[in-house]
Amino acid sequence: MAAITAYAATTQNLDLNQVQFVVVASPGVRARLYDRAMTLFAKADLPLPHAGNSHTPATATLTLTLDPHPLDASCPDKVLYGPSLLLVEPVIIQRNSVVINDTTWLLETRTHVRNPVEISNLETDLDRLIQQFITDYKAGNPGWHSRGTSPNPERPRAGHEPTGPIHSEANDARANSSLRHLNVDTLQVHISAGRFRQPLTTRAIRHLREAGLLVPLDGKGNGAVTLGVELTQHSLEDQCPGHVLYESGLYLVEEVRIKRNPQVSIWSDTWLRETMLIVAPVPLRQLESDQDALLNQFIRSFQTR
């Protein structure tokens, strides 16, 4: 059995009977992967997450993503693949008591370019992800075995596609209400951009201050909230010569409490924008433009919070 992860504590008091389980995969393999996951939960003697066709309200969503995406002519015969399992549920922002839906448990493999993924590889990734969640759940809930399993859990028909959300909120901006009572005077600013980090940090601070957000001039605020911009490029020479995997995003990082279990807190992104592209190496001028666009979105949201 795998060692527990740092997220084990977040599973404390999680009622799996109130969790909706969703598989994001191609239609041809979705039902097979769903049934395999359900079998693993059953073998672990755990209450099974909802099949998605139950009328009982779910308080959290456990999403398994095994969905390789074929790439275009820039990377012929390759796919973009990032297997993951994440639990999304309500959390409370410590700073302003606003409740948002956010990820409280996560295990993923960094999105990468590779050859097409066989069903056996998908199943191997599924087993690893589900088993780790089970391990963490049992560690976080030592009394799980005394509660018993759900009687006659509902199972989907073959080919059934569970209803409800199939994506986390990772690429959707939080409602502007999450920015209430944000003290920009103590905000930490952190830029991740490889060798371009320093000039982009200087530019970001100047940009924010010119817009009226008076962040510390050195970016080293003494508050508990960090505004991070990531503009990272990962070489794809072995798969797509002349191209990089370019990730751009802006993240407001701070502590939140799990609503169903307020004594447990985690660090989370309470406001974000992010994209991922396969492109030619990105020069500094384009990085500057992309950073400006991200900051402008944040500034507009802050001003209308």
Side-chain angles (χ1 to χ4, degrees):
M1 183 169 289
I4 63 172
T5 72
Y7 287 102
T10 69
T11 69
Q12 292 173 7
N13 302 323
L14 174 65
D15 182 0
L16 290 183
N17 289 296
Q18 299 300 314
V19 174
Q20 183 182 45
F21 181 60
V22 175
V23 175
V24 180
S26 66
V29 301
R30 187 183 300 120
R32 174 174 170 175
L33 295 175
Y34 188 99
D35 285 342
R36 186 180 183 93
M38 291 295 97
T39 298
L40 291 177
F41 277 105
K43 286 182 177 179
D45 197 28
L46 287 175
L48 299 181
H50 278 301
N53 54 355
S54 171
H55 296 296
T56 304
T59 59
T61 302
L62 184 65
T63 301
L64 174 67
T65 300
L66 299 168
D67 194 23
H69 290 277
L71 297 174
D72 58 21
S74 63
C75 293
D77 303 319
K78 303 294 181 180
V79 298
L80 190 65
Y81 183 52
S84 68
L85 180 66
L86 56 88
L87 182 71
V88 173
E89 61 182 313
V91 301
I92 305 168
I93 301 175
Q94 302 251 60
R95 167 175 48 82
N96 57 17
S97 298
V98 168
V99 176
I100 62 173
N101 285 324
D102 211 348
T103 301
T104 58
W105 192 95
L106 170 67
L107 184 63
E108 62 182 347
T109 297
R110 188 179 189 91
T111 300
H112 57 287
V113 175
R114 54 159 293 164
N115 293 325
V117 186
E118 301 292 335
I119 181 63
S120 59
N121 298 126
L122 296 176
E123 291 177 334
T124 296
D125 287 335
L126 180 152
D127 292 351
R128 172 179 58 86
L129 295 166
I130 296 294
Q131 291 288 11
Q132 187 62 66
F133 180 82
I134 289 171
T135 298
D136 279 10
Y137 184 84
K138 289 183 175 182
N141 298 273
W144 64 272
H145 49 79
S146 64
R147 292 197 294 271
T149 58
S150 302
N152 302 317
E154 233 178 327
R155 296 291 298 277
R157 297 184 302 276
H160 170 71
E161 180 176 359
T163 59
I166 61 171
H167 297 292
S168 76
E169 292 189 333
N171 204 40
D172 295 329
R174 309 304 188 205
N176 290 352
S177 59
S178 68
L179 300 180
R180 292 175 190 162
H181 309 309
L182 176 62
N183 184 4
V184 296
D185 295 351
T186 62
L187 194 64
Q188 300 182 59
V189 178
H190 180 77
I191 309 298
S192 297
R195 69 182 188 276
F196 298 122
R197 177 179 179 273
Q198 191 52 55
L200 288 172
T201 298
T202 300
R203 184 183 182 90
I205 292 173
R206 183 175 68 248
H207 190 141
L208 290 165
R209 292 182 67 89
E210 288 176 351
L213 281 66
L214 300 181
V215 299
L217 284 169
D218 59 2
K220 299 177 181 178
N222 58 6
V225 185
T226 297
L227 180 67
V229 175
E230 293 188 7
L231 299 165
T232 59
Q233 305 181 58
H234 304 280
S235 174
L236 296 176
E237 282 302 317
D238 55 338
Q239 300 284 355
C240 305
H243 292 78
V244 297
L245 183 62
Y246 174 47
E247 299 178 69
S248 61
L250 184 149
Y251 311 87
L252 192 69
V253 182
E254 59 188 307
E255 216 168 4
V256 299
R257 290 177 287 120
I258 300 176
K259 189 179 182 204
R260 63 173 164 78
N261 201 6
Q263 67 268 30
V264 176
S265 62
I266 57 174
W267 290 93
S268 185
D269 303 319
T270 57
W271 194 97
L272 71 154
R273 288 284 198 280
E274 60 181 8
T275 59
M276 181 181 296
L277 300 169
I278 294 177
V279 294
V282 184
L284 177 58
R285 179 172 295 182
Q286 184 61 52
L287 295 177
E288 291 174 338
S289 177
D290 291 348
Q291 177 177 269
D292 289 350
L294 288 166
L295 291 173
N296 284 338
Q297 292 179 71
F298 176 77
I299 290 165
R300 285 194 297 270
S301 292
F302 179 79
Q303 293 171 338
T304 59
R305 67 195 186 283

